[in-house]
Amino acid sequence: MSAMLQGVAPLENLGVIRAEGEDAAKFLHGQLTHDFALLDLAHARLCAFLSAKGRMQASFIGFKRSPTEVWLVCSRDLLAATLKRLSMFVLRAKLRLSDASAELRVAGLAGDAIQSIAGGVQPMWAKADLGPASLVHLPAAAGQARALWVGPANEPLPAGAALDPALWAWGEVQSGVATLSAPLIDAFVPQMLNYESVDGVSFKKGCYPGQEVVARSQFRGAIKRRAYIAHADAPLAVGAEVFSAQDAEQACGTVVQAAAAPGGGWDAIVALQIAAAEAGDLHAGAPAGPALTLGTLPYPLRDDL
């Protein structure tokens, strides 16, 4: 199936928040789960914006276009609410936050489409500027290299075969790295989506909203849920509850991201109670709903933080 994940896919589901001004990186450093103070122009950050209780309000792929300008790529359906909430904390900081989605567009590149403009595969979260556009190398999926292209809306997309956005969405699931969308606001601390294991959380930076909850979860053994990759023979919907045969009364998890699988059925990232995942016999939507089969994550869960 990896051979199918080739080409360029326009990603209309993603938008961009622009932070511009001399305090842009400093401000974001104090609001998000990763380090923007030390971020250079050759790397991007996976990160999250949390509530005071440590629950994810949005997830981003963020990078600097210049020392005073940062672009944050996120799910378009939660962008407006996130921008409004972030703006509440600007106060006297010297920056301007804006929705740049009308000016910038986002595309996903897979396989040979990356080689033609990047000259080779780079480590995940490496970033390069290509004139007015930027390219961020993402975690691989199904054995294929992937990257995110963000550039002016009036510029042509990079050259390459057309890739169906639905197939790109399947690759996103296969990567095991979830993008938060509107149905799931306030549902997870970052570790429930394995963000500490895919470089989405820094435990060495200063304070940010929800930091105490994240640190306590990590270092006091309080992580009871994790993200897994799952397959079902029937369609799966984001936000659908997952049930275990061990307890039909109470959901043990949630579908976080889902896409039709090229070989049939549906694949998903699901956040599950660890005990339920280990017990198996899982069903989506209802206790007697479609059966879920758990697969293998493409990365190890880190415990050396």
Side-chain angles (χ1 to χ4, degrees), residues 2-8 110-113 144 161-163 167:
S2 62
M4 302 174 65
L5 201 58
Q6 289 270 0
V8 180
D112 294 342
Q144 285 287 60
L163 175 62
L167 194 56

Side-chain angles (χ1 to χ4, degrees), residues 13 28 43 62 90 95 97 123 139 143 193 196 206 251 283 287-288:
N13 62 309
L28 295 174
H43 293 87
V90 170
L95 80 153
L97 295 171
L193 299 187
E196 86 299 336
H283 299 265

Side-chain angles (χ1 to χ4, degrees), residues 27-288:
F27 171 77
L28 295 174
H29 184 82
Q31 296 298 324
L32 306 181
T33 58
H34 217 316
D35 187 326
F36 278 78
L38 298 178
L39 179 62
D40 58 24
L41 294 173
H43 293 87
R45 299 282 198 234
L46 174 70
C47 57
F49 177 48
L50 311 181
S51 70
K53 295 182 179 180
R55 297 281 167 158
M56 294 174 67
Q57 308 298 295
S59 66
F60 303 107
I61 294 173
F63 54 90
K64 289 181 178 178
R65 274 292 300 179
S66 76
T68 59
E69 184 173 356
V70 180
W71 293 356
L72 300 171
V73 180
C74 66
S75 182
R76 195 184 286 259
D77 65 357
L78 51 64
L79 188 152
T82 303
L83 178 60
K84 181 178 180 180
R85 183 167 176 80
L86 269 173
S87 298
M88 292 169 56
F89 299 102
V90 170
L91 302 177
R92 296 181 181 177
K94 297 176 182 178
L95 80 153
R96 187 173 73 91
L97 295 171
S98 61
D99 181 353
S101 304
E103 305 164 46
L104 301 170
R105 60 173 167 171
V106 185
L109 278 62
D112 294 342
I114 300 172
Q115 301 281 355
S116 63
I117 69 169
V121 177
Q122 301 293 325
M124 69 177 187
W125 313 130
K127 170 253 180 185
D129 290 327
L130 309 169
S134 292
L135 188 74
V136 175
H137 293 266
L138 301 176
Q144 285 287 60
R146 302 182 310 131
L148 203 65
W149 180 93
V150 187
N154 58 2
E155 292 276 331
L157 293 177
L163 175 62
D164 186 344
L167 194 56
W168 175 268
W170 173 75
E172 287 279 87
V173 168
Q174 289 297 308
S175 78
V177 180
T179 299
L180 199 78
S181 57
L184 301 173
I185 290 173
D186 218 35
F188 310 111
V189 297
Q191 291 97 325
M192 292 179 185
L193 299 187
N194 304 345
Y195 263 45
E196 86 299 336
S197 294
V198 290
D199 200 21
V201 179
S202 171
F203 291 96
K204 298 177 181 179
K205 58 166 285 185
C207 295
Y208 57 88
Q211 182 195 28
E212 290 184 6
V213 176
V214 172
R216 186 165 60 248
S217 298
Q218 190 68 36
F219 299 117
R220 295 186 181 178
I223 302 171
K224 304 299 182 185
R225 292 177 182 250
R226 283 293 195 180
Y228 301 83
I229 293 178
H231 178 82
D233 291 334
L236 298 170
V238 172
E241 294 182 321
V242 177
F243 292 85
S244 167
Q246 312 298 318
D247 182 0
E249 298 297 319
Q250 189 168 343
C252 65
T254 309
V255 176
V256 179
Q257 215 161 326
W266 282 64
D267 288 341
I269 298 173
V270 293
L272 297 172
Q273 293 173 3
I274 296 171
E278 292 173 346
D281 201 357
L282 302 165
H283 299 265

